[in-house]
Amino acid sequence: MSYSSYITWRDQPVPLNPDLTIVIPTYNESARIVPTIASIVAHLAIRPESFEIIVSDDGSTDGTPDLVRNMGMRNVIVLAPGINRGKGAAVRAGVAASGGRLILFSDADLSTPIREIDAIIDAADSADVVIGSRGTVGSEEAEKSTIRRLTSWGARKVTRLGLGLDLADTQCGFKLFRRDAAMALFSVQRVDGFSFDAEILFLARRLDFSIHEVPIRWIDAPGSTVDPFRTALNFLVDVVRIRLQALIGRYPRVRPARGDATLERGLRLAVVTALPPSTATLTEYGHHLVRHLADKPEVSELIVLADDRDGLPESSDAYCVVAAWRFDSWSTPWRLWRAVGRTRPDVVLFNAHFSSFGIRRVPAALGLCMPALLRLRGVRTMVLLHNIVEKVDLSAAGYGNSPARLRALSALGRVMTKVVLRADWVATTMPSFVETLRESYGAQNVSLTPHGTFETPLAPADETVDGRRRILAFGKFGTYKRIEDLLDAHRILLDRGGFDDVEVVIAGTDNPGAAGYLESAALDYADLPGVRFTGYVHETDIADLFESASAVVFPYTATTGSSGPLHQAGCYARAVIAPRLGDLLELIQHEGYAAEPFEPGEPDSLADAIAAVLEDGEHRRELGRQNYAAAIGLPLADICDLHVGRALRLAS
Amino acid sequence: MPTAIHPPGTLHITTVETVVTLPPRFDVHMVAPLLDLLAPFTDIAHHVSLDGSRVEHIDNAGLGLLQELREAFGIVGGEVTLTNMSLALRLGIELSGLPVELCDDLLLDLGTAA
C-alpha cells in the first residue's frame, strides 16, 4: 500500500465489521504506543484485510490515551475508563468493543513483531484460536533476560500441571481469535490480571474451540511495566482460582448462544423516544434519529417505542410506531417492558436525558431504570444520553434555589447516572461528558457520539429571502431557555435607534416543566413592537423558519448538553449569537462552529452581540459559512452509522 | 573514507559511499551497534546515507538516535540523510512528535518511500 492509501485509512471509516480488529492493552505506554501503532498500520496496510485498532487502556497515568487520540486516526478507537483493573480486563473491554471477524490482541511493546501476524492469519483458516508461541519448533527468542526465561518456564509448568494445558506457550501476548470464539470466550472469562491468557486457553479447551500454535520470533522489549516476581505469584494464585471456578461450576460447559445470525438477517432495532406531536423533550431529535436509522441497510426492522401523551405519531413505510410509554406517568416501566416483550427487538436504543420520561422525579427515574431492567431480562440496551447531572446548573435550569434541594437532586442524578450506566452501552454527545462518566464513575461502556445535523441543504442562502432582519430563538422555553434577556436586548436596540425593522421570532413551545411561561412572557412584553411568537413549529416549516432568520440567538441561562438548534442553525448557514456558557462554548469549539458571544444574564451584552451581527453583513455571512461547514461535517446520517455499528456488535 | 566495514548484527555498510542499511527492527537494541558503527565518521565531515527500506519497526530509541546522529554529524560539517524509507519508518517519524525541523530534513527523501 502506498502512503496515500494510509491517508485514506487514517481519515475514512472502515466497514462496521472489518476483517480484523487489533486490540492493544496499554498501561503507561506513552513511550511506546505511537511507534507501535505506526508499525502495525504500516504492516497491515500491505495486507488485503480491512482493519481497525482498539487501544484499551488500563488506567494509565502518563497520558497514553490522549497520546493515541491526538494521532487523529479515524479507525483507532481508544477505550480509557480511567481505572486500573488489569490486562485481562483491558483486553476483555477491547474485544467487547471490537467489530472484526478476526480479533488479535497484541502487547503494546511489539515484542512479537507485527509481521508474525501473516502466519497467524493463515492459520486461522483451520483453527478458532491461533496463538503465537515461543516454545514450538521454529520459534526464536532474542534478548530475553534470565528472569523472563525462568518465569516463562515456570508458567508453562504451572499451566500444564494446574490447568492441563498441553501448550508450549500460553503467555505470549499475540493471540488471534475468530469472532465467534472471541465473543464466547471473553463473555465468560473472569480473570482481570495477567493470567487471563491461561484462563482463555483453558476455556477454549473446555468449550471445544480448536487452538493452533504458530512459532514466532520474539524480542524482549525493555521498559516492561511488569514486576516479574509479583506477576509469578499472582499467576499461581490465579491458576488455583481458575481451577476452583471450574470445579464449582462458574464456567459453562457448552458454548454460549451465538447471535451472528443478526448480521445476516438484519438488525431488529427498537428506539425509545418521543416524537412529534409529543410535547415532551427531544422530539425533534427523535424524529430525525428515527428517520436516518430507518435508512440504514443493516436495519431490517425499526420499531419506535413512542410516548403517547399527546397522541401517537403515525407509522410509516420505514418504521413502525408502538405506543409504549407516557410522559410523566408511573406506568412507563410496565408498558415499556410489555412493548419490548411483544416486539422482541435485538437491541433497544433509548434517546434520553434526565427528564425525558417526566418532570416528576419518580416517573423520570423509573423510565431511566428501563435500560438496566431490560438488560437484566436479556435484552441488549443502548442509551444515547444527552446530558449528565454534573454538567447541569440545576438552579439555572429551573430546579429551584434551595441548596438542600439542589444537593438532593444532584445526588439523585448521580444515582440515576449509575443506573443508566448499567445499560450495555452509553453514548453521549459531548467529549467532557465521556470524560466525566469514565473518570467519576469508572464507566468502560461509554463513547462519544456527537449530536449530528439533521439536514444539510445544498448552498443555503446567505440572507433572508425578504431582506428583513430577523433574530430567531428556537426551542422549548421556560426553564434554562428564557426570553426575557432577549426581549430586553431588543428593547435596548430599539431605544438606540436604527433597529426598527428588526423582528424577534420566538419559535417553539413551553418546556413541559414550565407550562404557561411563553403566554406570561408575551403579556409582560405586550408593549414591545417587532416580536412574534410562532407557537409549535411543524417539521415541514423548520427550513422556512431558519432561512427567514438573519441570526439565531441562544438566550440560555444554563445548558444541558448538546444543542439541536445550534446544529440546525449550522445546516441553514445562519450566524449564531451564543452565551459564554461552558457546554455551549465546548460544543462550538469542539465541532468547529462560530458564534458572536455575549454574557449570560446581561441584556446589554446581548444587545451588543445582536448589533454586531446585524450591522456587519460580512461578519454575519462569515459566521454562517463557518457554521454551515461545521454542520455538513457531522451529519446525523453518519452518526447513525455509529449507533447501528454499536447495535450490531451488541446483537452479535 | 572506509572501503569495507562489517558491523555487528544486521547493520552493514554496503559501499564506500557509506550507505548504512537500517535493520528491520530499529529499536533500543540496535542503538549501541549503530553508534559503534558510525563513531569513526563523526570525527570528520562525512555524509552517511541511512537506507530505511527494510525498517519494519522503529521505537523511540531509534528515533532519538536519528536525531542524535544528525546533530553529531552536523557539528563537524557532515550530514545524515535517510533514503528509501519504508512506510513503517515514515509513519514512525511522522507520528513520533520529533522536532519538525528534523522530520523536514529526514523527509527530503520521501519521494522514494513506499
Side-chain angles (χ1 to χ4, degrees), chain A residues 427-456:
Chain A
T428 63
T429 53
M430 307 272 284
S432 62
F433 292 4
V434 177
E435 202 174 304
T436 300
L437 292 176
R438 286 178 175 165
E439 289 179 359
S440 301
Y441 296 88
Q444 294 192 55
N445 56 336
V446 180
S447 62
L448 174 67
T449 309
H451 183 287
T453 44
F454 303 151
E455 308 284 356
T456 48

Side-chain angles (χ1 to χ4, degrees), chain A residues 3 31 34-35 39 110 115 220, chain B residues 25 29 56-57 60 94-95:
Chain A
Y3 183 75
V34 173
S39 301
L110 276 190
R115 68 150 77 161
D220 193 4
Chain B
R25 190 177 177 93
H29 298 302
E56 295 171 1
H57 177 62
N60 280 352
E94 275 193 9
L95 299 173

Side-chain angles (χ1 to χ4, degrees), chain A residues 49-289:
Chain A
E49 294 88 5
S50 57
F51 69 99
E52 65 180 2
I53 295 173
I54 295 178
V55 174
S56 186
D57 191 67
D58 188 30
S60 292
T61 54
D62 66 345
T64 298
D66 287 340
L67 207 56
V68 179
R69 288 191 192 102
N70 291 339
M71 293 171 78
M73 294 184 169
R74 185 86 185 252
N75 298 301
V76 175
I77 299 161
V78 179
L79 306 177
I83 53 172
N84 179 234
R85 295 181 60 197
K87 184 180 175 184
V91 173
R92 186 165 61 238
V95 170
S98 69
R101 297 180 193 283
L102 295 174
I103 298 159
L104 174 105
F105 76 79
S106 167
D107 285 347
D109 58 10
L110 276 190
S111 289
T112 306
I114 189 63
R115 68 150 77 161
E116 302 294 340
I117 199 174
D118 298 350
I120 297 261
I121 287 180
D122 289 346
D125 287 340
S126 56
D128 297 310
V129 181
V130 185
I131 62 176
S133 175
R134 296 162 291 185
T136 48
V137 176
S139 61
E140 287 179 52
E141 288 181 301
E143 312 284 349
K144 195 170 189 179
S145 66
T146 307
I147 287 178
R148 292 198 78 156
R149 283 182 198 281
L150 273 174
T151 52
S152 297
W153 177 85
R156 271 197 285 276
K157 293 294 176 197
V158 169
T159 48
R160 186 178 295 264
L161 292 171
L163 301 177
L165 289 173
D166 56 344
L167 299 166
D169 183 6
T170 59
Q171 298 309 109
C172 178
F174 205 74
K175 294 183 172 68
L176 182 84
F177 301 82
R178 283 155 71 152
R179 183 171 186 77
D180 55 343
M183 293 303 157
L185 295 171
F186 281 91
S187 67
V188 295
Q189 180 256 338
R190 292 165 175 271
V191 174
D192 286 343
F194 272 84
S195 324
F196 82 101
D197 297 74
E199 184 195 28
I200 281 289
L201 297 173
F202 173 75
L203 288 168
R205 281 276 193 260
R206 185 181 175 95
L207 300 178
D208 206 23
F209 286 110
S210 55
I211 303 174
H212 184 74
E213 287 189 272
V214 172
I216 49 101
R217 175 174 160 74
W218 187 90
I219 303 112
D220 193 4
S224 169
T225 54
V226 177
D227 176 343
F229 294 107
R230 179 176 292 184
T231 303
L233 186 62
N234 288 341
F235 188 79
L236 276 173
V237 173
D238 282 341
V239 165
V240 173
R241 191 179 294 160
I242 292 166
R243 184 47 92 180
L244 283 175
Q245 302 262 22
L247 280 175
I248 62 175
R250 299 291 292 273
Y251 294 129
R253 289 194 172 277
V254 294
R255 296 180 189 183
R258 290 173 49 188
D260 284 358
T262 308
L263 299 178
E264 289 153 24
R265 68 166 159 76
L267 182 70
R268 191 175 166 87
L269 179 65
V271 182
V272 177
T273 185
L275 290 182
S278 167
T279 53
T281 52
L282 292 177
T283 53
E284 294 298 323
Y285 193 87
H287 167 77
H288 293 285
L289 178 70

Side-chain angles (χ1 to χ4, degrees), chain A residues 6-51:
Chain A
Y6 152 71
I7 295 293
T8 304
W9 178 86
R10 185 190 66 186
D11 296 337
Q12 302 296 324
V14 296
L16 294 171
N17 292 95
D19 299 321
L20 177 66
T21 298
I22 310 269
V23 175
I24 309 173
T26 55
Y27 177 69
N28 288 346
E29 293 288 357
S30 61
R32 296 197 280 209
I33 189 64
V34 173
T36 290
I37 290 177
S39 301
I40 290 174
V41 171
H43 185 77
L44 292 180
I46 60 172
R47 292 194 55 91
E49 294 88 5
S50 57
F51 69 99

Side-chain angles (χ1 to χ4, degrees), chain A residues 486-565:
Chain A
L486 173 60
L487 297 179
D488 287 342
H490 180 51
R491 193 188 300 278
I492 290 167
L493 289 174
L494 291 177
D495 290 345
R496 285 183 192 172
F499 294 94
D500 294 344
D501 63 315
V502 173
E503 183 180 38
V504 174
V505 179
I506 311 292
T509 57
D510 292 328
N511 184 288
Y517 167 75
L518 284 177
E519 188 179 352
S520 169
L523 284 173
D524 290 345
Y525 288 86
D527 63 318
L528 188 64
V531 179
R532 178 159 59 93
F533 291 84
T534 69
Y536 175 75
V537 181
H538 192 272
E539 189 53 38
T540 53
D541 298 326
I542 293 287
D544 287 344
L545 179 73
F546 277 86
E547 285 173 352
S548 68
S550 309
V552 182
V553 67
F554 294 76
Y556 296 178
T557 57
T559 56
T560 60
S562 196
S563 168

